[in-house]
Amino acid sequence: KQEVTQIPAALSVPEGENLVLNCSFTDSAIYNLQWFRQDPGKGLTSLLLIQSSQREQTSGRLNASLDKSSGRSTLYIAASQPGDSATYLCAVSHNQAGTALIFGKGTTLSVSS
Amino acid sequence: DGGITQSPKYLFRKEGQNVTLSCEQNLNHDAMYWYRQDPGQGLRLIYYSQIVNDFQKGDIAEGYSVSREKKESFPLTVTSAQKNPTAFYLCASSIGQGENSPLHFGNGTRLTVT
């Protein structure tokens, strides 16, 4: 059964730092991997989707990479800002349930000014 | 604006009562999902539907029921058989199968059962 792990569980950095969030998964047979952002008490916002045939995706200060063979993805945030403070979740779409996703527990990021 | 609307935002019920959570989308998406989120745990899939009049159980379907009579709507009923119903419930939708189908989420319903 697919398992998704995110390390670290929490991260605190000063404003301006570049940082990397990690996501690993046990079954490499995936359709895609998504990174989401969740603010407290809110729903999830899709940040980036990497298809299984792709190696990375970029949006603004965010860059996500995917290494299917090793079961890993990273989310790189450049020049972090206090507004980036949130919980970041990764999720993989696996074969057995079509488009339904398996989520990690998330990394809670705090960026101080 | 297109999106997913979940209502109500907060819901309080007494133990033993059934309660229905609403989820409506105007994105013209075929697939819809219900997830449950508990503190310290990842999102867990309750039910999903890839087409009208069809739905499948997720990992934790016991004590829940759904219907998909319209493409836009996917209500979730939390029955009295659900042992730990207090949680944050999230509805989502996507275009459908395929490698490039990002998930769109509503803002959730926080259910408290006492």
Side-chain angles (χ1 to χ4, degrees), chain B residues 60-76:
Chain B
I60 55 164
E62 185 176 349
Y64 300 97
S65 66
V66 294
S67 63
R68 187 84 188 277
E69 297 176 2
K70 299 187 300 182
K71 188 175 186 177
E72 304 80 21
S73 180
F74 191 41
L76 173 75

Side-chain angles (χ1 to χ4, degrees), chain A residues 1 31-32 34 36 38 41-46 49-53 89 96-105, chain B residues 9 33 35 37 40-43 45 48 50 59 88 90 94 96-103 105-107 110:
Chain A
K1 184 179 176 180
Y31 281 139
N32 60 50
Q34 283 185 250
F36 295 89
Q38 185 176 30
K42 300 286 190 181
L44 280 66
T45 300
S46 180
L49 180 149
I50 310 176
Q51 298 178 38
S52 60
S53 57
L89 298 105
Q96 288 91 340
T99 54
L101 301 183
I102 302 296
F103 285 81
K105 295 180 181 180
Chain B
K9 185 172 182 178
Y33 311 83
Y35 288 90
Q37 187 175 35
Q41 300 201 37
L43 275 71
L45 181 65
Y48 66 98
Q50 294 183 327
D59 298 322
F88 189 47
L90 288 160
S94 67
Q97 290 191 2
E99 291 194 8
N100 200 24
S101 300
L103 228 59
F105 280 85
N107 275 327
R110 188 166 297 280

Side-chain angles (χ1 to χ4, degrees), chain A residues 69-100:
Chain A
S69 60
S70 67
R72 293 180 186 175
S73 176
T74 61
L75 179 67
Y76 174 83
I77 302 176
S80 58
Q81 304 170 357
D84 294 330
S85 298
T87 297
Y88 292 82
L89 298 105
C90 75
V92 298
S93 176
H94 63 97
N95 289 331
Q96 288 91 340
T99 54

Side-chain angles (χ1 to χ4, degrees), chain A:
Chain A
K1 184 179 176 180
Q2 178 74 272
E3 290 183 4
V4 180
T5 303
Q6 291 188 247
I7 295 173
L11 182 62
S12 293
V13 300
E15 183 177 6
E17 275 207 4
N18 302 326
L19 57 101
V20 173
L21 307 181
N22 296 294
C23 173
S24 62
F25 48 95
T26 54
D27 184 351
S28 62
I30 62 172
Y31 281 139
N32 60 50
L33 183 145
Q34 283 185 250
W35 282 93
F36 295 89
R37 168 186 173 134
Q38 185 176 30
D39 293 293
K42 300 286 190 181
L44 280 66
T45 300
S46 180
L47 298 174
L48 291 164
L49 180 149
I50 310 176
Q51 298 178 38
S52 60
S53 57
Q54 297 175 326
R55 299 284 288 185
E56 66 177 345
Q57 283 285 340
T58 298
S59 176
R61 293 182 295 107
L62 305 179
N63 176 276
S65 67
L66 175 64
D67 184 343
K68 268 183 60 176
S69 60
S70 67
R72 293 180 186 175
S73 176
T74 61
L75 179 67
Y76 174 83
I77 302 176
S80 58
Q81 304 170 357
D84 294 330
S85 298
T87 297
Y88 292 82
L89 298 105
C90 75
V92 298
S93 176
H94 63 97
N95 289 331
Q96 288 91 340
T99 54
L101 301 183
I102 302 296
F103 285 81
K105 295 180 181 180
T107 294
T108 299
L109 173 65
S110 176
V111 181
S112 56
S113 56

